[in-house]
Each structure stands twice: as C-alpha cells, then as structure tokens.
Short mmCIF file of all heavy atoms in Angstrom, two decimals:
data_model
loop_
_atom_site.label_atom_id
_atom_site.label_comp_id
_atom_site.label_asym_id
_atom_site.label_seq_id
_atom_site.Cartn_x
_atom_site.Cartn_y
_atom_site.Cartn_z
N ALA A 1 -7.70 87.06 314.78
CA ALA A 1 -6.91 86.03 315.42
C ALA A 1 -7.75 84.71 315.34
O ALA A 1 -7.21 83.69 315.20
CB ALA A 1 -6.61 86.60 316.73
N ARG A 2 -8.98 84.84 315.72
CA ARG A 2 -9.90 83.56 315.80
C ARG A 2 -10.07 83.04 314.31
O ARG A 2 -10.09 81.88 314.22
CB ARG A 2 -11.24 83.95 316.41
CG ARG A 2 -11.04 84.21 317.82
CD ARG A 2 -12.45 84.60 318.49
NE ARG A 2 -12.11 84.84 319.95
CZ ARG A 2 -13.00 85.43 320.69
NH1 ARG A 2 -14.20 85.96 320.14
NH2 ARG A 2 -12.84 85.68 321.93
N LEU A 3 -10.22 84.01 313.36
CA LEU A 3 -10.28 83.42 312.01
C LEU A 3 -9.03 82.69 311.51
O LEU A 3 -9.05 81.65 310.92
CB LEU A 3 -10.64 84.55 311.04
CG LEU A 3 -10.85 84.18 309.59
CD1 LEU A 3 -11.99 83.18 309.37
CD2 LEU A 3 -11.14 85.41 308.76
N ASP A 4 -7.90 83.23 311.99
CA ASP A 4 -6.60 82.65 311.64
C ASP A 4 -6.53 81.20 312.20
O ASP A 4 -6.08 80.20 311.59
CB ASP A 4 -5.37 83.51 312.06
CG ASP A 4 -5.00 84.50 311.01
OD1 ASP A 4 -5.44 84.47 309.86
OD2 ASP A 4 -4.40 85.51 311.47
N GLU A 5 -6.99 81.08 313.41
CA GLU A 5 -6.92 79.86 314.21
C GLU A 5 -7.80 78.88 313.43
O GLU A 5 -7.45 77.71 313.31
CB GLU A 5 -7.29 80.05 315.67
CG GLU A 5 -7.28 78.66 316.46
CD GLU A 5 -5.94 78.05 316.55
OE1 GLU A 5 -4.79 78.82 316.45
OE2 GLU A 5 -5.98 76.84 316.73
N LEU A 6 -9.02 79.25 313.19
CA LEU A 6 -9.96 78.36 312.43
C LEU A 6 -9.32 77.91 311.13
O LEU A 6 -9.33 76.76 310.79
CB LEU A 6 -11.26 79.14 312.19
CG LEU A 6 -12.31 78.34 311.43
CD1 LEU A 6 -12.63 77.03 312.14
CD2 LEU A 6 -13.62 79.22 311.23
N ARG A 7 -8.75 78.84 310.27
CA ARG A 7 -8.06 78.47 309.06
C ARG A 7 -6.99 77.57 309.34
O ARG A 7 -6.71 76.66 308.47
CB ARG A 7 -7.71 79.74 308.33
CG ARG A 7 -8.86 80.63 307.78
CD ARG A 7 -8.40 81.93 307.23
NE ARG A 7 -9.55 82.58 306.53
CZ ARG A 7 -9.38 83.71 306.00
NH1 ARG A 7 -8.29 84.37 306.07
NH2 ARG A 7 -10.37 84.35 305.42
N ASN A 8 -6.15 77.78 310.25
CA ASN A 8 -4.94 76.82 310.51
C ASN A 8 -5.57 75.38 310.91
O ASN A 8 -5.05 74.47 310.42
CB ASN A 8 -4.20 77.36 311.79
CG ASN A 8 -3.38 78.60 311.47
OD1 ASN A 8 -3.12 78.82 310.34
ND2 ASN A 8 -3.03 79.30 312.59
N ARG A 9 -6.62 75.40 311.59
CA ARG A 9 -7.18 74.06 311.99
C ARG A 9 -7.71 73.38 310.62
O ARG A 9 -7.68 72.14 310.48
CB ARG A 9 -8.21 74.25 313.06
CG ARG A 9 -7.56 74.46 314.42
CD ARG A 9 -8.56 74.58 315.41
NE ARG A 9 -7.91 75.05 316.64
CZ ARG A 9 -8.09 74.59 317.88
NH1 ARG A 9 -9.01 73.56 317.98
NH2 ARG A 9 -7.56 74.93 318.94
N ILE A 10 -8.36 74.09 309.89
CA ILE A 10 -8.81 73.54 308.52
C ILE A 10 -7.67 73.05 307.70
O ILE A 10 -7.74 71.96 307.16
CB ILE A 10 -9.69 74.62 307.80
CG1 ILE A 10 -11.00 74.92 308.47
CG2 ILE A 10 -9.92 74.15 306.31
CD1 ILE A 10 -11.84 76.13 307.88
N ASP A 11 -6.61 73.89 307.68
CA ASP A 11 -5.51 73.48 306.73
C ASP A 11 -4.74 72.27 307.34
O ASP A 11 -4.22 71.44 306.57
CB ASP A 11 -4.39 74.65 306.69
CG ASP A 11 -4.99 75.74 305.81
OD1 ASP A 11 -5.79 75.48 304.89
OD2 ASP A 11 -4.42 76.85 305.86
N THR A 12 -4.83 72.14 308.69
CA THR A 12 -4.10 70.99 309.18
C THR A 12 -4.94 69.81 309.68
O THR A 12 -4.64 68.89 310.39
CB THR A 12 -3.21 71.41 310.45
OG1 THR A 12 -4.06 72.02 311.39
CG2 THR A 12 -2.09 72.37 309.97
N GLY A 13 -6.23 69.91 309.38
CA GLY A 13 -7.30 68.91 309.84
C GLY A 13 -7.08 67.51 309.33
O GLY A 13 -7.55 66.58 309.90
N GLY A 14 -6.37 67.42 308.22
CA GLY A 14 -6.28 66.14 307.50
C GLY A 14 -7.63 65.51 307.25
O GLY A 14 -8.59 66.16 306.96
N SER A 15 -7.65 64.21 307.37
CA SER A 15 -8.73 63.41 306.99
C SER A 15 -9.78 63.17 308.26
O SER A 15 -10.72 62.51 308.18
CB SER A 15 -8.47 62.09 306.34
OG SER A 15 -7.69 61.31 307.36
N LEU A 16 -9.39 63.83 309.42
CA LEU A 16 -10.22 63.59 310.61
C LEU A 16 -11.41 64.35 310.57
O LEU A 16 -12.30 64.22 311.48
CB LEU A 16 -9.34 63.98 311.84
CG LEU A 16 -8.10 63.04 312.01
CD1 LEU A 16 -7.27 63.43 313.19
CD2 LEU A 16 -8.46 61.58 312.13
N MET A 17 -11.57 65.36 309.70
CA MET A 17 -12.75 65.99 309.68
C MET A 17 -13.09 66.34 308.21
O MET A 17 -12.22 66.35 307.29
CB MET A 17 -12.70 67.41 310.51
CG MET A 17 -11.79 68.44 309.83
SD MET A 17 -11.98 69.95 310.78
CE MET A 17 -11.37 71.10 309.69
N ALA A 18 -14.45 66.60 307.86
CA ALA A 18 -14.76 66.91 306.56
C ALA A 18 -14.48 68.42 306.34
O ALA A 18 -15.29 69.38 306.47
CB ALA A 18 -16.24 66.81 306.35
N ASN A 19 -13.18 68.70 306.09
CA ASN A 19 -12.77 70.11 306.08
C ASN A 19 -13.23 70.91 304.91
O ASN A 19 -13.30 72.11 305.00
CB ASN A 19 -11.27 70.24 306.19
CG ASN A 19 -10.53 69.40 305.25
OD1 ASN A 19 -11.09 69.14 304.18
ND2 ASN A 19 -9.33 68.83 305.62
N THR A 20 -13.73 70.13 303.86
CA THR A 20 -14.22 70.92 302.71
C THR A 20 -15.57 71.42 303.17
O THR A 20 -15.96 72.65 302.76
CB THR A 20 -14.50 69.84 301.59
OG1 THR A 20 -13.13 69.46 301.10
CG2 THR A 20 -15.08 70.72 300.33
N HIS A 21 -16.36 70.80 303.84
CA HIS A 21 -17.71 71.23 304.40
C HIS A 21 -17.39 72.43 305.32
O HIS A 21 -18.17 73.55 305.27
CB HIS A 21 -18.36 70.17 305.10
CG HIS A 21 -19.71 70.61 305.55
ND1 HIS A 21 -20.91 70.90 304.86
CD2 HIS A 21 -20.17 70.78 306.98
CE1 HIS A 21 -21.86 71.19 305.62
NE2 HIS A 21 -21.45 71.28 306.89
N VAL A 22 -16.42 72.39 306.19
CA VAL A 22 -16.27 73.42 307.13
C VAL A 22 -15.73 74.68 306.38
O VAL A 22 -16.07 75.78 306.70
CB VAL A 22 -15.24 73.11 308.20
CG1 VAL A 22 -14.92 74.17 309.17
CG2 VAL A 22 -15.80 71.80 308.98
N ALA A 23 -14.74 74.57 305.47
CA ALA A 23 -14.20 75.56 304.64
C ALA A 23 -15.35 76.28 303.82
O ALA A 23 -15.36 77.43 303.79
CB ALA A 23 -13.02 75.04 303.78
N ALA A 24 -16.18 75.52 303.30
CA ALA A 24 -17.23 76.03 302.48
C ALA A 24 -18.19 76.92 303.30
O ALA A 24 -18.68 77.95 302.95
CB ALA A 24 -18.10 74.99 301.75
N ALA A 25 -18.35 76.50 304.61
CA ALA A 25 -19.29 77.18 305.46
C ALA A 25 -18.77 78.64 305.87
O ALA A 25 -19.51 79.55 306.08
CB ALA A 25 -19.42 76.43 306.78
N ILE A 26 -17.42 78.87 305.81
CA ILE A 26 -16.85 80.13 306.10
C ILE A 26 -16.34 80.74 304.91
O ILE A 26 -15.51 81.73 304.99
CB ILE A 26 -15.80 80.16 307.23
CG1 ILE A 26 -14.64 79.21 306.85
CG2 ILE A 26 -16.50 79.61 308.52
CD1 ILE A 26 -13.39 79.41 307.83
N ASP A 27 -16.51 80.10 303.65
CA ASP A 27 -15.92 80.62 302.42
C ASP A 27 -14.51 80.74 302.39
O ASP A 27 -13.85 81.73 301.94
CB ASP A 27 -16.62 82.08 302.02
CG ASP A 27 -18.03 81.88 301.35
OD1 ASP A 27 -18.31 80.79 300.96
OD2 ASP A 27 -18.69 82.88 301.31
N TYR A 28 -13.91 79.72 302.95
CA TYR A 28 -12.37 79.71 302.88
C TYR A 28 -11.91 78.67 302.01
O TYR A 28 -12.50 77.55 301.81
CB TYR A 28 -11.80 79.34 304.35
CG TYR A 28 -10.36 79.03 304.47
CD1 TYR A 28 -9.47 80.12 304.11
CD2 TYR A 28 -9.86 77.85 304.78
CE1 TYR A 28 -8.18 79.93 304.12
CE2 TYR A 28 -8.50 77.68 304.89
CZ TYR A 28 -7.63 78.63 304.63
OH TYR A 28 -6.23 78.44 304.65
N ILE A 29 -10.77 78.91 301.32
CA ILE A 29 -10.18 77.90 300.40
C ILE A 29 -8.95 77.32 301.06
O ILE A 29 -7.99 77.93 301.42
CB ILE A 29 -9.61 78.51 299.14
CG1 ILE A 29 -10.67 79.50 298.42
CG2 ILE A 29 -9.12 77.53 298.14
CD1 ILE A 29 -12.00 79.18 298.37
N ARG A 30 -9.11 76.03 301.37
CA ARG A 30 -8.02 75.34 302.04
C ARG A 30 -6.73 75.49 301.29
O ARG A 30 -6.66 75.18 300.02
CB ARG A 30 -8.30 73.81 302.21
CG ARG A 30 -7.36 73.09 303.03
CD ARG A 30 -7.77 71.70 303.33
NE ARG A 30 -6.82 71.09 304.16
CZ ARG A 30 -6.50 69.83 304.15
NH1 ARG A 30 -7.05 68.98 303.31
NH2 ARG A 30 -5.53 69.35 305.04
#
C-alpha cells in the first residue's frame, strides 16, 4: 500500500520534483 502511494506520487509529481531521481532510487519506471 505504501509503495503504491509512493508510485502514485511519482507518477503525478509533474515538474515540482525531480521524479526521475526518486524513481531511480526505488527502481521504479514512471
């Protein structure tokens, strides 16, 4: 459930965060 929430936030983060860096940290593909 927490991983899903994190992935949702990465997917909807837009340009307000460096989501590629965050996605890479958890090995997630946006």
Side-chain angles (χ1 to χ4, degrees):
R2 290 179 180 162
L3 183 60
D4 276 342
E5 180 62 25
L6 178 58
R7 288 174 171 175
N8 288 341
R9 288 180 187 224
I10 289 171
D11 283 342
T12 60
S15 61
L16 296 177
M17 73 174 194
N19 51 30
T20 300
H21 177 71
V22 176
I26 64 166
D27 282 342
Y28 173 63
I29 309 321
R30 184 172 185 216

